[in-house]
Amino acid sequence: LYHFTGIDERVEDLPFMHGRDLKNFGGVDKADLRIFRVSFSGELGFEFHFDSKLGPKIHDIIYNHNLSDKDNLNLRHFGSAALNSLRMEKGFKLRADLDMSHYKEAGIEPFLAKKRPFLGRDETFEPKRFSKMFKIYTDKSNAWSVPGDTPVKSKDGKLIGYTTTTARSTTFDGTYGMGFVYANVELPREAVVEAYGMTFAAEILDGPPEKMKGKD
């Protein structure tokens, strides 16, 4: 946060999940943008919304600023694979983790209206599956993650669920996955995941392995 307040002090008092329009970001003429204090990585960060033509200019304001000491801040570019790993560890869902599921199955109740009616609300619906996260002990030699729609089985071979999206972990040498477990099966703590003709040990988690950062 100090890094960005040094570039433009107008972000210092920006609360979590709020945004504001900034003219001449970083004191640079015509570098206008809308900034939100939120990040799909689950880390302390910001989202910038601006005309795509301003992309190189906004990048250079941040990356080349004298506060962006690459040696001390370890500032570097990263891509969608890194973002996917970070959001996975915080339990942030993609569309693939929600498609074709009822809201009672998808684990999104905290984001729904408690009293107000909405399309699809059905208090009588009985879930047939529940959203879960998996810790998958993929082979250390594998640089990839297991794919979505990968079967999750009990150790005795009974199908108990499947993955929807997965990502290599940033905190242990393995994979985290999101998916579903079926409501009509006894849920074991330990399981196995089958992918690419291989079988990997897995744990069914009670929640995301990492806490979201940057709210305070």
Side-chain angles (χ1 to χ4, degrees), residues 27-191:
V28 177
D29 186 44
K30 296 183 180 180
D32 303 336
L33 54 82
R34 180 169 295 168
I35 187 171
F36 297 88
R37 189 177 162 192
V38 64
S39 169
F40 198 54
S41 68
E43 303 289 324
L44 173 60
F46 300 90
E47 279 191 6
F48 289 5
H49 294 223
F50 49 80
D51 190 307
S52 60
K53 292 182 293 186
L54 290 173
K57 178 183 286 190
I58 300 297
H59 168 273
D60 290 347
I61 292 172
I62 298 170
Y63 198 75
N64 297 329
H65 195 278
N66 58 8
L67 287 177
S68 300
D69 187 326
K70 267 72 79 174
D71 293 328
N72 291 330
L73 290 177
N74 202 22
L75 192 66
R76 68 183 68 183
H77 299 99
F78 68 94
S80 57
L83 180 62
N84 190 43
S85 293
L86 291 168
R87 71 93 190 169
M88 174 67 68
E89 292 172 341
K90 314 303 191 305
F92 290 1
K93 291 178 168 63
L94 297 177
R95 177 176 175 177
D97 302 309
L98 302 172
D99 271 3
M100 307 303 292
S101 63
H102 192 273
Y103 68 87
K104 287 186 177 181
E105 299 175 327
I108 59 172
E109 290 89 341
F111 301 98
L112 302 176
K114 301 298 185 290
K115 298 180 180 180
R116 180 172 53 83
F118 56 84
L119 186 65
R121 185 163 202 155
D122 181 2
E123 300 294 348
T124 64
F125 179 82
E126 292 293 333
K128 299 178 178 60
R129 55 186 178 166
F130 295 101
S131 177
K132 282 290 182 181
M133 288 197 66
F134 310 104
K135 185 176 184 178
I136 308 168
Y137 294 88
T138 46
D139 191 287
K140 292 183 179 180
S141 65
N142 296 329
W144 40 261
S145 177
V146 299
D149 288 332
T150 296
V152 179
K153 297 183 178 181
S154 62
K155 296 182 76 172
D156 61 4
K158 183 177 181 180
L159 182 65
I160 59 175
Y162 56 93
T163 64
T164 48
T165 61
T166 62
R168 292 289 294 179
S169 172
T170 67
T171 57
F172 90 106
D173 195 6
T175 298
Y176 283 115
M178 289 187 187
F180 291 91
V181 293
Y182 298 115
N184 61 348
V185 299
E186 184 176 350
L187 200 60
R189 180 71 179 184
E190 296 181 350

